[in-house]
Structure formats: structure tokens, C-alpha cells
Amino acid sequence: MKRIVILISGRGSNMRSIVEAGVAEQWPARVVAVVSNRPDAAGLTYAAERGIATAVVDHRAHASRQAFDAELAACVDSHAPDLVVLAGFMRILGADFVRRYEGRMLNIHPSLLPSFPGLQTHRRAIEAGCKVTGATVHFVTPELDHGPIVIQAVVPVLQSDDEDTLAERVLALEHVVYPRAVRWWAQGLLQLERGLVRQLAGEPQVVGLS
Ligand code: GRF
């Protein structure tokens, strides 16, 4: 059984979709711990109720980013993960932390990267007049919201959309693509080569387009 550690900061709906798909689809991997940088993250309650180990590494208790990253790494390493999954984890991680888990750390970002890295992606997509937006699962590299793309979900931007309606439709597909990406990893179906990710079974690395 491969071991997955998930990092969250809040609601944890992506974490939940991964935990549930892993059990329902009997992946050769399981979520062994959920770690939050916020003690009040709602996702911690869900994880604890499922019998998953939980931990908090509070960024406010650390004087520097390096000190926070070091304690976070120690906490994550104590669960001996094969894969680290960032699921709504809202702290920027330093290059040392990222390199420690290079090639075995995934993130989901609510835009079609490389467009709109950073925050307020839905507002920015609407303001730019984009007709499509979506979400991207990618391997994490030191550059923020960057790195080899595993799968993307494409969502139309409607004239009637505001940030909230768009975020809701994108989130529904996040819950499809993130578990799928983690399943592919668990089944050994992802090949990472020269910054590109191939799905070895030839399954489409895009959702939401017919
Ligand atoms: C998601 O939209 C994710 O893409 C973004 O933050 C949100 C987290 O939601 N990075 P949740 O905590 O998984 O419910």
C-alpha cells in the first residue's frame, strides 16, 4: 500500500473526494494523514471521523517561512509518504520543501495553468473575458502554481457567471480530476519526463470537453 499525506488549509472538499474515491475504487494506496496549517480547518474533523491521523502545523507559531517549512517537513516525513497532495493548502512553500518532495507532490489550482497562477483566479478569468477556464492538477515545482500538468478540467465561462457560480462549477470538476490524477499515480500510470506528464494507459488528460 502506497502512503498519501494530504495538506489542507480549510474546507477540505478535494481531500474528501480523494479519500472517498480511494476507498470506493480500492486504490493500492491510502491516505495516512491529513495535515493543516490552520487549527480550525473543517477538513480536519472529516479526516478524524474517518479514522485518518491528523496534525496541525500552525504557520502563525513560526517566526520564519523556513522554520514553518522545516516543522511541516518533519511532520509530513513522520508519516513516511510516497505522495504528498496539496488540496487547498494556502501557504507558499519554500524551494527546499518543494525539492524534498520533487516528483512526488501534487497540487490542484483553479485555473487552466499557465493562465492565472495565484489568487482570485475566477474573478480574473471573468475580467479577462475568458470563454473557458477550469482547474489543473500538476506536479509541484518551486515556482508558484507551475509544474508538469497531469490533467485539466475545462469549464465554460457563462455571461451570467460571477466568481461564486464559476467557482462552484469548477469545484465540481476539481472533485473529478483530482481523485483521477491520484489514482493514476497510485496505479503507476504517470510518467514524468522532461517536464511533461504522460498517462501510460492513454486515458484523456482533460475532462469537460467532448
Ligand atoms: C479549491 O478550489 C482549490 O483548487 C483551491 O482552493 C480550493 C480548496 O477547496 N486551491 P477545498 O478546501 O478542497 O474544499
Side-chain angles (χ1 to χ4, degrees):
M1 267 296 189
K2 292 177 185 163
R3 300 169 64 82
I4 300 169
V5 171
I6 303 186
L7 271 52
I8 65 169
S9 294
R11 180 175 58 182
S13 68
N14 278 292
M15 174 269 294
R16 189 174 173 146
S17 71
I18 291 166
V19 169
E20 285 171 4
V23 173
E25 297 169 4
Q26 300 185 313
W27 297 349
R30 67 190 178 95
V31 177
V32 294
V34 172
V35 181
S36 172
N37 65 305
R38 304 190 74 100
D40 58 350
L44 289 172
T45 310
Y46 167 82
E49 281 169 6
R50 298 279 314 210
I52 298 168
T54 61
V56 175
V57 180
D58 192 336
H59 60 279
R60 291 165 304 188
H62 295 82
S64 67
R65 188 185 299 283
Q66 286 90 333
F68 168 71
D69 281 7
E71 195 189 325
L72 186 63
C75 176
V76 168
D77 285 351
S78 74
H79 295 284
D82 298 295
L83 182 73
V84 176
V85 170
L86 307 181
F89 184 71
M90 301 305 285
R91 302 299 298 174
I92 293 174
L93 295 164
D96 287 346
F97 186 97
V98 172
R99 285 205 192 92
R100 187 182 193 93
Y101 304 105
E102 198 158 9
R104 55 188 185 109
M105 181 156 65
L106 294 174
N107 181 44
I108 191 160
H109 182 74
S111 78
L112 292 176
L113 292 175
S115 292
F116 308 122
L119 297 174
Q120 298 177 328
T121 54
H122 303 305
R123 182 189 304 178
R124 288 155 65 205
I126 291 170
E127 284 174 0
C130 293
K131 305 308 174 214
V132 292
T133 185
T136 303
V137 178
H138 64 98
F139 282 99
V140 178
T141 55
E143 193 177 337
L144 180 68
D145 297 329
H146 209 263
I149 292 173
V150 177
I151 186 169
Q152 292 187 303
V154 182
V155 172
V157 182
L158 307 177
Q159 282 194 25
S160 56
D161 266 328
D162 60 26
E163 259 184 275
D164 295 336
T165 58
L166 188 53
E168 198 178 316
R169 292 207 316 289
V170 171
L171 188 66
L173 282 191
E174 290 183 43
H175 297 162
V176 174
V177 291
Y178 216 176
R180 189 169 302 177
V182 178
R183 173 171 63 80
W184 287 345
W185 167 84
Q187 295 174 332
L189 293 175
L190 295 180
Q191 186 184 60
L192 179 54
E193 209 177 283
R194 279 174 276 123
L196 301 179
V197 181
R198 277 184 60 206
Q199 207 285 350
L200 294 172
E203 286 183 55
Q205 288 170 267
V206 60
V207 163
L209 288 178
S210 47

